[in-house]
Amino acid sequence: MKLNKFLIPLLLILGSYMYAHAQNKEPHYAGYLFAYFEGKSDPMKREHLRFATSSDGVKWKAINNNFAVISSDTIASTGGIRDPHLLRGAEKGFYLVATDMKTFKDGWDTNPGIVMMYSDNLVDWKHQVINLEKSYPKKFANVKWVWAPQTFYDAKKGKYLVYFTVRYHHNEKLDFYAAYANMDFTGFEAEPKLLFSPKFGGIDGDIIFDKGIYHFFYKGNTKDANGKEFENGIKVATSKSLWGPWQENDGYLDSYAKTNTKVEGSSIFKLNNSDEYILMYDVYSDGRYEFQRSKDLATFTEKPEAFTKNFDPRHGSIISITKEEARNLDRKWGGVLPELVQPTEKGDRYVFKSKGNPIIQHHYTADPAALVQGDTLWMYVGHDFAGGQRGYVMKDWLVYSTTDMKTWTEYPVPLKIEDFTWAKSGDAFAGHVAERNGKYYWYISTNWTGIGVAVADRPEGPFKDALGKPLLTNKDCFASTHSWACIDPAIFIDDDGTPWIFWGNRECYFAKLKDNMIEIDGEIKQVNFDGFSFTEAPWIHKYKGKYYLTYATEFPEKIAYAMADNIQGPYEYKGILNEIAGNSNTNHQSVVEYKGKWYFLYHNGGIQTDGGSYSRSVCVDLLEYNDDGTIKRINMTTEGIQ
């Protein structure tokens, strides 16, 4: 085929356009980041920088347990910051500006300026204090307030405009001033100039550009002929130019303008993968944070909606973030919503370092089962779905690996309860993975519907149901009468290659497995010996020719153990191994040798602040033997493996 001579240049232009468009394509956003300061904590600690994350822009959770991510006394001249505004850079980096003011120490009379900050990754920040009175005395010698700064990228100039509200001691009018930031975002190119002077003044400005129009949202008011304010709320002005002139629209946007409820701190952001905008504001008079929706930045829903949150923000701002940015935040401070960091795509991984016990703090995890393959320790855990639960909600299992007991890798969810179509209980309870002939077999509990087994070609999965039915059910628990007797499978492959399975609640059962690992071989037997007070969670390991049966005893549960010369017993009770694990009624362990050391993996309810008996957390500490082969009491530590 011969191309037309006029078509070739056209194709070249089109190709260049498509390449440029691909290069400038927006990142794939996984969620949102909220920068704010607090409204209800210790007054002297409120005016610090805090972050929260969300996957939908409505339901929020504070990171770092709602403690400061950056203490304001390290960045602000007053020791406090208010009104933080966060902006994603046009090409790279993040820009954050805030009011330099600590009202609970200095009051409301005056503040000197703002704080400017820059970061490449949202976790490492450089800062600079800008004192308008000192830097620009000719214009700002008598300044009273420099409030609520924000940053806007001026695409026409390729510069970042910083704008803020100014009020002087000699003039009560509240006007917006602005200046372009210098290249390294440590100051201004020149003295700030008037940007917008609303008729009756304004604070808390937020500019957004859409379809050729600049929209300037702010807290405005209306006054009578005598200068007395009789109405206030969120207003908007528009312009075809960033520097104006600005046309103030009549009326107010927020639902509270004609009521006694006062709002301020408006900020607007666009929902990911949507044409919908969220106009949020601080209902400061009632200590709430609410929002209204719009698709055109002109008409907004009338009824306000409330954020769901575990913190009390004052004036803040929101940006979209990618999964890797969320992971950076989680590695640094912890507490990022699990769905923002959890791998979901094939080949995706989340690598993080444990900061002691609990070792995983972005998920609630329980019932750890360890498997050593070469120089890697694999850890398979149950997954409590949320914090502060009042019952077990477990719908899938998770898998992690480590080569040093400090750095952990999380993989996509390898197995869900829905993968077992026969498991009508819907409960994903404790499990155990064993390797045999290059295959990995995951034996899992489903509460009252029995023990199942799944199989995979790789230790990280994905796993699939190997039988299409239970391996064991309550009918196999011949000494039991309660419905949840058939749980907590544990596998041990002996030195001669014989695979065994132990399980049970209240009564402990065991049996051989066939070589195919998916059938019981012979008689099911029961473990009994003097002093055996069995609750659940059996685990078998072997050390210097001795068999060790560890298990949960009594309730709240401790871990006890017994020893035998033969896997079938008789076992001799040896005592308590670890005491009640903090803030958890249950206790479920695994014992494993890895790189010459023995480890004791267990769970507690130790994640602050919503851990508990149904929102548990996996921990690991060293296990040590006495000279006679008995085991020393486990020292449960906060520090974990160092």
Side-chain angles (χ1 to χ4, degrees):
M1 185 178 84
K2 190 174 182 181
L3 290 176
N4 185 294
K5 65 179 180 178
F6 298 106
L7 187 59
I8 294 173
L10 181 62
L11 290 173
L12 289 173
I13 293 170
L14 181 61
S16 298
Y17 169 79
M18 293 178 67
Y19 175 78
H21 182 71
Q23 293 298 103
N24 294 318
K25 187 172 66 174
E26 270 198 339
H28 177 70
Y29 294 122
Y32 307 86
L33 179 65
F34 191 167
Y36 63 97
F37 71 103
E38 256 284 351
K40 290 186 178 179
S41 59
D42 180 341
M44 293 303 292
K45 297 179 180 179
R46 292 180 190 176
E47 293 166 318
H48 293 283
L49 180 63
R50 292 172 168 83
F51 286 159
T53 58
S54 172
S55 58
D56 62 4
V58 175
K59 303 180 187 69
W60 293 89
K61 180 189 175 189
I63 72 174
N64 200 32
N65 287 326
N66 200 31
F67 294 123
V69 295
I70 298 178
S71 296
S72 297
D73 53 11
T74 66
I75 57 174
S77 66
T78 62
I81 63 102
R82 300 175 68 87
D83 322 313
H85 179 259
L86 184 57
L87 177 73
R88 176 184 291 277
E91 295 181 353
K92 66 172 186 176
F94 301 88
Y95 300 84
L96 192 149
V97 289
T99 307
D100 187 353
M101 191 173 195
K102 190 162 188 174
T103 60
F104 287 94
K105 178 173 68 74
D106 303 325
W108 292 91
D109 187 57
T110 188
N111 76 293
I114 66 172
V115 177
M116 297 175 65
M117 303 176 66
Y118 175 80
S119 174
D120 286 321
N121 55 15
L122 288 173
V123 298
D124 302 302
W125 292 89
K126 298 177 181 178
H127 73 276
Q128 184 67 45
V129 171
I130 308 300
N131 186 313
L132 259 68
E133 188 172 28
K134 291 182 179 179
S135 299
Y136 306 101
K138 184 177 179 180
K139 180 69 177 179
F140 297 102
N142 201 32
V143 71
K144 179 176 182 176
W145 292 336
V146 186
W147 277 8
Q150 298 209 173
T151 308
F152 182 85
Y153 180 67
D154 186 344
K156 292 182 179 180
K157 290 186 174 292
K159 297 180 180 181
Y160 291 91
L161 184 76
V162 179
Y163 58 100
F164 40 84
T165 294
V166 166
R167 177 181 173 182
Y168 293 93
H169 286 284
H170 62 274
N171 185 350
E172 291 188 358
K173 182 72 187 304
L174 293 159
D175 287 327
F176 292 99
Y177 280 75
Y180 288 108
N182 58 23
M183 290 294 291
D184 56 3
F185 208 70
T186 58
F188 301 142
E189 287 185 343
E191 179 183 86
K193 299 185 297 185
L194 185 66
L195 174 68
F196 174 39
S197 181
K199 182 177 180 181
F200 297 112
I203 60 171
D204 300 347
D206 189 15
I207 300 174
I208 189 167
F209 182 74
D210 182 62
K211 298 174 183 175
I213 300 296
Y214 296 90
H215 301 258
F216 200 132
F217 295 88
Y218 62 99
K219 165 75 176 286
N221 62 86
T222 308
K223 297 178 181 178
D224 61 21
N226 297 317
K228 182 179 180 181
E229 179 183 308
F230 63 87
E231 191 175 21
N232 66 54
I234 308 304
K235 295 178 70 70
V236 65
T238 56
S239 174
K240 292 183 178 180
S241 170
L242 180 56
W243 283 91
W246 295 94
Q247 177 64 46
E248 297 183 61
N249 289 12
D250 294 331
Y252 294 85
L253 301 176
D254 65 283
S255 299
Y256 296 104
K258 297 184 182 299
T259 72
N260 292 326
T261 300
K262 307 301 181 185
V263 307
E264 64 182 17
S266 64
S267 185
I268 194 157
F269 67 97
K270 196 173 186 181
L271 292 177
N272 297 333
N273 306 310
S274 171
D275 60 355
E276 191 166 63
Y277 291 92
I278 296 290
L279 174 65
M280 66 181 194
Y281 43 76
D282 181 359
V283 192
Y284 66 96
S285 58
D286 291 343
R288 304 196 308 273
Y289 226 96
E290 296 182 343
F291 65 92
Q292 294 165 237
R293 302 173 187 261
S294 176
K295 291 188 176 182
D296 60 8
L297 296 176
T299 56
F300 288 82
T301 52
E302 293 184 6
K303 186 178 180 180
E305 302 173 62
F307 288 136
T308 300
K309 51 188 173 51
N310 66 341
F311 55 101
D312 294 288
R314 295 280 69 88
H315 185 179
S317 59
I318 290 171
I319 64 167
S320 298
I321 56 173
T322 66
K323 178 161 285 190
E324 192 52 45
E325 289 159 359
R327 290 171 175 173
N328 285 340
L329 292 163
D330 191 66
R331 293 183 186 107
K332 178 77 172 185
W333 291 295
V336 170
L337 284 170
E339 58 265 34
L340 296 186
V341 301
Q342 184 173 26
T344 55
E345 303 295 329
K346 183 179 180 181
D348 188 19
R349 306 288 185 264
Y350 176 35
V351 180
F352 61 95
K353 287 185 179 292
S354 65
K355 299 176 182 178
N357 284 325
I359 59 176
I360 301 161
Q361 303 219 359
H362 59 281
H363 286 296
Y364 293 95
T365 54
D367 310 322
L371 171 69
V372 173
Q373 290 281 281
D375 67 348
T376 302
L377 182 144
W378 294 87
M379 183 174 68
Y380 302 86
V381 299
H383 178 201
D384 290 335
F385 257 43
Q389 293 186 154
R390 295 295 177 265
Y392 295 113
V393 181
M394 307 175 73
K395 300 300 178 185
D396 58 23
W397 294 267
L398 303 176
V399 58
Y400 301 85
S401 70
T402 183
T403 56
D404 62 6
M405 300 302 290
K406 298 174 185 177
T407 302
W408 294 84
T409 299
E410 180 177 1
Y411 300 82
V413 173
L415 187 63
K416 301 177 181 179
I417 189 62
E418 63 190 36
D419 294 331
F420 300 94
T421 57
W422 50 267
K424 303 304 181 183
S425 66
D427 294 324
F429 284 6
H432 187 170
V433 175
E435 186 272 334
R436 181 83 164 183
N437 298 325
K439 298 283 188 179
Y440 297 86
Y441 297 88
W442 198 335
Y443 302 80
I444 54 88
S445 305
T446 66
N447 199 356
W448 49 267
T449 48
I451 289 171
V453 56
V455 65
D457 295 323
R458 300 177 60 84
E460 69 270 30
F463 288 77
K464 63 180 181 180
D465 187 358
L467 282 172
K469 63 180 181 179
L471 174 67
L472 294 161
T473 68
N474 285 335
K475 292 181 180 179
D476 299 299
C477 302
F478 53 83
S480 304
T481 57
H482 59 294
S483 65
W484 62 97
C486 192
I487 64 169
D488 291 2
I491 309 301
F492 180 78
I493 300 176
D494 212 341
D495 297 337
D496 63 0
T498 302
W500 297 83
I501 182 169
F502 285 67
W503 75 95
N505 176 282
R506 295 187 187 172
E507 295 81 26
C508 184
Y509 303 93
F510 71 98
K512 285 183 183 180
L513 287 167
K514 291 185 178 180
D515 287 342
N516 63 17
M517 300 295 282
I518 57 174
E519 293 180 88
I520 300 298
D521 185 7
E523 182 183 3
I524 293 174
K525 300 179 181 180
Q526 187 178 359
V527 178
N528 274 309
F529 55 86
D530 289 342
F532 190 39
S533 177
F534 177 78
T535 303
E536 58 188 0
W539 181 276
I540 295 287
H541 76 275
K542 197 172 184 180
Y543 174 71
K544 291 187 176 180
K546 297 287 186 180
Y547 295 88
Y548 294 76
L549 170 64
T550 55
Y551 56 92
T553 183
E554 302 175 346
F555 197 84
E557 295 173 355
K558 306 172 184 178
I559 300 299
Y561 80 107
M563 295 172 60
D565 293 322
N566 186 292
I567 194 168
Q568 299 189 66
Y571 283 89
E572 181 181 350
Y573 178 69
K574 292 296 182 181
I576 299 298
L577 194 53
N578 84 317
E579 301 291 342
I580 297 170
N583 204 29
S584 176
N585 286 329
T586 61
N587 202 340
H588 194 122
Q589 81 300 340
S590 64
V591 177
V592 65
E593 184 182 17
Y594 178 59
K595 293 186 176 180
K597 293 183 179 180
W598 284 86
Y599 295 95
F600 184 83
L601 294 83
Y602 61 101
H603 67 237
N604 64 16
I607 287 185
Q608 297 296 319
T609 57
D610 290 326
S613 290
Y614 307 104
S615 301
R616 298 160 295 178
S617 309
V618 166
C619 303
V620 59
D621 282 300
L622 288 172
L623 180 142
E624 298 178 298
Y625 297 90
N626 295 306
D627 291 340
D628 62 359
T630 57
I631 305 175
K632 296 179 180 180
R633 285 284 183 107
I634 299 298
N635 181 26
M636 294 182 287
T637 69
T638 299
E639 294 77 15
I641 304 302
Q642 299 298 304

